Amino acid sequence: MPENIADSDRNAKWEKSTLRNWLNNEFYNTAFNEQEKESIETANLKNIKGTGRFTKEFVGHWQKWDIDFSGFLDESWETDSCNDTEDKVWLLSTADIEKYADILTLGKEMQAKPTPYTKSKAEICDSALCKKNNAYGFCNWWLRTAGYKRDDAAYIHSDGNIYSFGMVADNEKSGTVRPAIKIRIR
């Protein structure tokens, strides 16, 4: 089994990520006017370890995408967490998705249909394999939980399912962003 570390000093820890910095500065200051900012509360985020297990279901799911993880069957992995953070704008974590499973139903309801801007910036699932797996025309979107390696981040795949194994987080074309905010209702 490959080591659970990246080939470089890169890491996908939310606490130090450039995406977190961008969301809480440039995005926050551009997307919201002063009145809207007054309604956005700071969230105290618990940043959990990335964990997973190469189960039969996991291996079977990837096989439908023509990727063979059968050599890892029954192996598990765990990635270090980072410090908890306080953010105005953030990404959901795998724990958030699981906590709100009654309203955040995996599958078709979690698929991200890209905007024209996103289409110009990110990879969209547009192959015959995507069509076969009901993901055609959708895109991946990032979560803040670390993935299998320290430079991987978990994400919601174009098919609408959590891929806690993750993908390399510094590949900006691999995923899109669905920001989360906490609004104070008056």
Side-chain angles (χ1 to χ4, degrees):
M1 183 171 205
E3 281 190 66
N4 210 9
I5 57 171
D7 295 330
S8 71
D9 290 334
R10 302 177 306 200
N11 74 60
K13 290 187 176 182
W14 175 248
E15 173 188 21
K16 297 178 191 259
S17 77
T18 55
L19 180 54
R20 175 179 178 245
N21 183 47
W22 179 80
L23 284 170
N24 282 281
N25 292 293
E26 186 178 337
F27 176 80
Y28 177 75
N29 290 315
T30 303
F32 305 106
N33 64 36
E34 291 308 314
Q35 184 178 3
E36 291 166 332
K37 287 179 187 177
E38 289 176 17
S39 297
I40 298 174
E41 294 186 8
T42 299
N44 297 311
L45 303 176
K46 177 127 180 87
N47 294 305
I48 61 169
K49 292 180 178 187
T51 60
R53 183 168 194 78
F54 296 98
T55 62
K56 284 183 186 178
E57 293 80 17
F58 178 94
V59 171
H61 181 80
W62 279 96
Q63 284 174 335
K64 75 179 189 177
W65 288 97
D66 294 338
I67 299 171
D68 184 13
F69 279 107
S70 59
F72 297 101
L73 192 58
D74 293 327
E75 296 284 341
S76 60
W77 53 269
E78 184 174 284
T79 321
D80 291 339
S81 63
C82 65
N83 293 321
D84 294 344
T85 56
E86 293 183 351
D87 295 297
K88 293 285 190 182
V89 186
W90 67 93
L91 302 181
L92 297 176
S93 68
T94 55
D96 294 333
I97 302 291
E98 292 163 5
K99 180 179 178 180
Y100 298 108
D102 56 330
I103 58 174
L104 298 174
T105 307
L106 291 174
K108 202 111 183 105
E109 292 184 25
M110 294 292 275
Q111 289 179 303
K113 194 70 167 171
T115 63
Y117 176 80
T118 301
K119 285 181 182 179
S120 74
K121 298 289 184 185
E123 295 172 357
I124 309 302
C125 197
D126 65 357
S127 67
L129 192 56
C130 293
K131 195 167 274 192
K132 173 184 153 196
N133 290 304
N134 299 315
Y136 188 81
F138 294 97
C139 51
N140 303 328
W141 52 281
W142 294 109
L143 299 174
R144 74 173 188 274
T145 307
Y148 173 69
K149 295 180 188 172
R150 70 176 182 203
D151 63 342
D152 292 342
Y155 64 101
I156 301 294
H157 190 269
S158 56
D159 66 9
N161 291 297
I162 295 175
Y163 281 44
S164 57
F165 185 82
M167 64 181 158
V168 178
D170 70 353
N171 183 351
E172 62 189 42
K173 293 187 89 48
S174 292
T176 58
V177 178
R178 285 187 150 181
I181 58 173
K182 182 178 179 181
I183 299 174
R184 181 182 333 101
I185 299 176
R186 298 171 198 214

